[in-house]
Amino acid sequence: MLKKYVASVFYLLSVVLFVLGLINPILKNSTMMGFMGEKFIYLLGSIKYFFEEEEFFIGALILTFTFIFPILKYLFIGFRLVNIEFGQIRWVGTLVEIINKWAMLDVFVVALIIVNMKFNTLIISASIEIGTTFFALSVLLLMIASYILRKHEERIKETSLEI
């Protein structure tokens, strides 16, 4: 029971950090060392930017792996934490497996955004902002919560088989 409680705490912290990662900037671009202006870049803004620039593949990739998949994963893990099972609905289990296999791609996508927009010259410079840290921590905490919950569920299955 303690493992499930710990998983719940990590899960809730991850949700809070995920939201903070969405509402805080991930990058700050400065022109002429800040004298000509600064621009903060947000995850949602980056998706909008790529779609406006007709970079639909990159926009869809970021939308899918930084919003849709993580939100689905939060829902599925949340359901498991409150003991809602999807064992009878086969496609839901398959979807969860697919999402879990691609879970780290959201970190890769954020890294791509940072690398793509990271300029460090005298004219343009970029720095990582707190939203990146929040987002990365949310991914790590969700992975830990998922792992702890899986171990808890395995122990319950082992105990029920022994009886």
Side-chain angles (χ1 to χ4, degrees):
M1 191 64 170
L2 178 63
K3 282 187 178 185
K4 192 169 184 180
Y5 174 76
V6 171
S8 297
V9 169
F10 282 130
Y11 172 82
L12 292 173
L13 284 172
S14 178
V15 169
V16 169
L17 290 169
F18 181 75
V19 171
L20 288 173
L22 295 179
I23 63 174
N24 284 287
I26 59 170
L27 284 175
K28 177 177 77 172
N29 281 340
S30 301
T31 308
M32 297 293 283
M33 297 170 53
F35 295 115
M36 299 296 287
E38 295 177 337
K39 180 181 178 185
F40 289 97
I41 297 160
Y42 298 81
L43 280 173
L44 286 173
S46 66
I47 293 170
K48 181 180 174 187
Y49 169 80
F50 285 116
F51 280 112
E52 286 174 350
E53 295 295 313
E54 297 183 3
E55 295 285 345
F56 300 113
F57 177 74
I58 298 295
L61 188 72
I62 295 169
L63 177 65
T64 301
F65 292 104
T66 60
F67 293 103
I68 296 171
F69 275 12
I71 290 170
L72 287 174
K73 190 168 182 181
Y74 278 114
L75 289 173
F76 291 132
I77 291 174
F79 289 146
R80 286 173 46 206
L81 284 168
V82 295
N83 296 324
I84 296 174
E85 294 289 329
F86 293 107
Q88 313 250 334
I89 307 171
R90 186 177 208 118
W91 67 269
V92 173
T94 304
L95 182 61
V96 171
E97 287 178 28
I98 291 169
I99 290 171
N100 281 331
K101 287 180 182 177
W102 291 94
M104 287 305 295
L105 192 57
D106 49 3
V107 176
F108 174 71
V109 168
V110 171
L112 276 178
I113 293 170
I114 291 169
V115 168
N116 186 37
M117 299 178 152
K118 183 89 173 143
F119 301 104
N120 280 319
T121 66
L122 290 174
I123 299 172
I124 300 173
S125 68
S127 60
I128 295 174
E129 291 293 313
I130 193 71
T132 303
T133 303
F134 288 146
F135 188 80
L137 287 173
S138 76
V139 170
L140 291 173
L141 288 175
L142 188 60
M143 287 173 53
I144 293 168
S146 180
Y147 175 78
I148 293 170
L149 185 59
R150 186 175 67 246
K151 289 297 183 184
H152 171 72
E153 290 170 345
E154 287 172 2
R155 178 166 284 172
I156 288 174
K157 285 180 185 177
E158 287 173 7
T159 307
S160 67
L161 291 175
E162 291 174 3
I163 297 175

